[in-house]
Amino acid sequence: MPADPLHRAGMPQRSTTSQPPSGSGASAIEVRRSTRRRRTVSAYREGDRTVVLIPARMSEAEEQRWVTVMLDKLAAQESKRVLGDDELAERAARLSAQYFEGRARPTSVRWVTNQNTRWGSCTPAEGSIRLSHRLQGMPEYVVDYVLLHELAHLLVPGHGPRFWRLLEAYPRTERARGYLEGVVAAERLPHPPGARGD
């Protein structure tokens, strides 16, 4: 029987695609197994997909463990990169298209340093959205949630049932809210003497 060209040395032996665990930044994960890989595992983003490259000999359990490790590693790298205002506006446009059928169209989206008691704000009459600089460095799904929250205000003022129904479309709403509540709670904890350079 002739050799399958996809199983030649150096080519992926098997490629699988699955939905990611909630909280990861991508919509799908593709695992590519390679006979040339012996020990190394790597991952990268390809559009809205995360590609994880693993050795062909790995068990299913090892694959699952490494996918989780690599997703966490990518998320940590991405959270260190600060988006500029232009990238923030592009991200808002993508989120609006993905979750609100493109109906939320801000005129401006930018970081501000004067919001220390809220994570974001929106002025629907102007179409402007401002995010607190304190979000910089937080996980992508948290920043996305705050962006979506403010985008939703362009469609529905206030925080009534219709507003929250809009945000139900984002699968990480509860997780992001929990993260932000944890940050606020941590800020309120008493700091031991010397912890802040006293």
Side-chain angles (χ1 to χ4, degrees), residues 90-177:
E90 289 170 14
R91 191 142 164 193
R94 279 197 311 272
L95 289 167
S96 176
Q98 185 174 356
Y99 294 101
F100 302 147
E101 298 168 345
R103 292 179 295 131
R105 295 187 189 112
T107 55
S108 68
V109 183
R110 61 192 174 92
W111 296 107
V112 293
T113 56
N114 62 353
Q115 290 188 8
N116 294 314
T117 58
R118 60 172 105 177
W119 299 111
S121 63
C122 173
T123 308
E126 297 173 6
S128 62
I129 290 175
R130 294 158 306 282
L131 296 192
S132 172
H133 71 286
R134 296 184 308 139
L135 288 165
Q136 293 174 342
M138 289 190 187
E140 278 189 3
Y141 74 92
V142 175
V143 176
D144 285 353
Y145 164 73
V146 177
L147 270 173
L148 279 164
H149 185 108
E150 302 310 331
L151 286 165
H153 280 308
L154 292 175
L155 304 173
V156 179
H159 293 98
R162 199 167 140 245
F163 174 84
W164 292 110
R165 272 196 301 276
L166 276 176
L167 283 179
E168 284 174 4
Y170 184 57
R172 297 176 192 94
T173 290
E174 289 307 314
R175 185 174 179 181
R177 289 184 68 180

